[in-house]
Amino acid sequence: MSETNTNVSRRRFCAGACQVASGATLATLFSGRGGSPTSPSGTDSMLGVLPGRFTGPGVQVAVAGSALADPGGAVLVESTAGVFLLARTSATGFSAVDAICSHESCTITGTDGAAYVCPCHGSRYNRSGQVMAGPAKASLRQFATSFTDGVVTIAL
Ligand code: FES
């Protein structure tokens, strides 16, 4: 197995494990507050989820009919190559960052205005993946994107 494939396999494993951990944490939050969805800040909401198609050099995401149809929207992309946070920043511009929190590796599933919010301990990141509020200290890895015929490609 090449190093690239090994990295992708590790990424897939971590993404799956972290999603389970993240789901367990959300279940704890829900059950601890009368069963209604909530978050550490109480103001953020869950990102919509879009599938991403891993093509080898990148992950492709169709934006039609999703929160990415208009500038300002953001989603969580799930793919066999990992999970990503993808935001539309302009008519043709997108920002893609790793969706695995740099604090303790939970999958980031929340949004509050222009911030991504981690459900585990409330770290907040801007759309470029930079930390706005801890406990996370490190930025999320950012990926180049391209946009053609309604499909965003996240370059890996
Ligand atoms: S794992 Fe994200 S804030 Fe702790």
Side-chain angles (χ1 to χ4, degrees):
M1 180 180 290
S2 72
E3 184 176 329
T4 299
N5 287 339
T6 302
N7 287 341
V8 169
S9 295
R10 285 183 187 147
R11 197 175 165 82
R12 288 172 59 187
F13 172 79
C14 184
C18 293
Q19 285 172 341
V20 169
S22 178
T25 301
L26 286 175
T28 301
L29 286 171
F30 291 177
S31 65
R33 300 192 185 193
S36 61
T38 187
S39 65
S41 74
T43 59
D44 53 293
S45 57
M46 298 286 288
L47 288 160
V49 178
L50 284 182
R53 189 170 71 90
F54 179 47
T55 62
V59 172
Q60 295 183 327
V61 183
V63 304
S66 76
L68 297 177
D70 298 308
V75 299
L76 174 67
V77 175
E78 294 181 339
S79 76
T80 58
V83 287
F84 306 90
L85 300 168
L86 182 62
R88 189 164 194 162
T89 56
S90 68
T92 58
F94 291 83
S95 173
V97 298
D98 195 348
I100 304 301
C101 184
S102 66
H103 178 231
E104 291 184 359
S105 300
C106 287
T107 299
I108 298 165
T109 56
T111 185
D112 181 9
Y116 293 122
V117 183
C118 180
C120 290
H121 311 102
S123 288
R124 300 166 76 84
Y125 301 87
N126 67 19
R127 294 297 194 231
S128 299
Q130 296 169 319
V131 177
M132 300 168 67
K137 291 181 170 53
S139 298
L140 303 172
R141 180 180 173 194
Q142 192 164 24
F143 299 89
T145 61
S146 58
F147 183 52
T148 305
D149 296 332
V151 175
V152 179
T153 299
I154 302 170
L156 301 182

